[in-house]
Amino acid sequence: DAKTTQPTSMDCAEGRAANLPCNHSTISGNEYVYWYRQIHSQGPQYIIHGLKNNETNEMASLIITEDRKSSTLILPHATLRDTAVYYCAFTGGGNKLTFGTGTQLKVEL
Amino acid sequence: DAGVIQSPRHEVTEMGQEVTLRCKPISGHNSLFWYRQTMMRGLELLIYFNNNVPIDDSGMPEDRFSAKMPNASFSTLKIQPSEPRDSAVYFCASSFGQNYGYTFGSGTRLTVV
């Protein structure tokens, strides 16, 4: 299974794009990259996932480097409600999802 | 769809007592996962099932922990006997497969005193 590295915390001004990085240099070819967020102690909330191609949905964009060793989650216009812990995670080993340590994103006025 | 349903939301128990956590996955999902979250260790996968069969229980910390999935709509995680270090938030999640997303429940906050 891939191991992940995420910054412990990041700040972002409201209305600006938040770019959250994740390094996963040991990822294998069949492991999907997932991003979740967690607000307080609520259950993790799905944001987006991908395998090789960049992905976009109504919440965010996911940019995966060509070598797949890193990815970036982009929240295009961050709001105060986006303050949360953001986790990148990986599938593999038959379907299990393994989480990184997470980045605490703080969106400020 | 009501999502993944966990019960109870909160559980406070005395050391040595048996604790049973319950999970109802989303109908049609064929994979179910139990996670534990603590400040020190983050989100840890304890065990997961495919089609009601346990596939990987390597994350189960000790023999005091056991999990069952008697049918596609119900799973339990049992701790017997419970210890204070088992205090954590326990999450259940379900999925169609690795390319279809994983949906988490609201969790059970367990406190063992």
Side-chain angles (χ1 to χ4, degrees):
Chain A
D1 295 345
K3 298 296 184 283
T4 67
T5 304
Q6 297 181 255
T8 303
S9 63
M10 294 182 65
D11 294 334
C12 179
E14 189 177 36
R16 305 298 294 268
N19 298 287
L20 296 109
C22 181
N23 288 326
H24 32 82
S25 58
T26 60
I27 196 170
S28 63
N30 64 347
E31 290 186 331
Y32 284 81
V33 177
Y34 271 80
W35 282 86
Y36 279 78
R37 72 181 184 184
Q38 189 176 30
I39 299 172
H40 301 302
S41 292
Q42 297 177 19
Q45 176 191 19
Y46 169 81
I47 300 173
I48 198 167
H49 76 284
L51 183 61
K52 296 180 181 178
N53 300 322
N54 298 336
E55 302 287 346
T56 296
N57 63 21
E58 65 278 6
M59 290 182 68
S61 295
L62 172 61
I63 307 298
I64 303 173
T65 58
E66 190 169 346
D67 63 9
R68 302 209 330 123
K69 292 186 176 182
S70 66
S71 62
T72 301
L73 177 73
I74 301 173
L75 308 178
H77 306 286
T79 70
L80 298 177
R81 287 179 295 181
D82 291 323
T83 293
V85 179
Y86 288 78
Y87 293 95
C88 67
F90 298 91
T91 63
N95 198 25
K96 63 184 181 183
L97 188 64
T98 303
F99 284 82
T101 55
T103 297
Q104 172 66 64
L105 175 68
K106 185 176 182 182
V107 181
E108 300 173 307
L109 292 172
Chain B
D1 192 337
V4 176
I5 300 172
Q6 292 187 246
S7 64
R9 290 297 306 275
H10 302 275
E11 177 80 34
V12 180
T13 191
E14 292 184 345
M15 182 174 63
Q17 296 297 306
E18 177 180 296
V19 175
T20 299
L21 311 182
R22 297 173 176 79
C23 176
K24 177 179 170 55
I26 290 175
S27 177
H29 281 190
N30 60 357
S31 297
L32 183 140
F33 308 81
W34 282 101
Y35 286 85
R36 178 174 67 176
Q37 186 173 35
T38 61
M39 288 293 293
M40 291 296 294
R41 301 176 68 88
L43 273 162
E44 302 175 277
L45 177 65
L46 300 178
I47 185 171
Y48 80 96
F49 297 82
N50 277 351
N51 297 314
N52 312 338
V53 176
I55 302 301
D56 185 346
D57 65 354
S58 59
M60 296 285 262
E62 300 174 32
D63 291 344
R64 297 184 297 107
F65 287 70
S66 63
K68 294 182 179 179
M69 192 166 185
N71 56 62
S73 60
F74 184 66
S75 177
T76 59
L77 178 67
K78 184 178 295 186
I79 309 173
Q80 167 63 22
S82 58
E83 297 183 2
R85 58 193 169 123
D86 301 331
S87 297
V89 181
Y90 291 81
F91 290 105
C92 176
S94 70
S95 170
F96 279 122
Q98 64 175 326
N99 192 24
Y100 297 95
Y102 299 72
T103 304
F104 282 76
S106 299
T108 294
R109 180 175 295 276
L110 174 65
T111 303
V112 183
V113 298

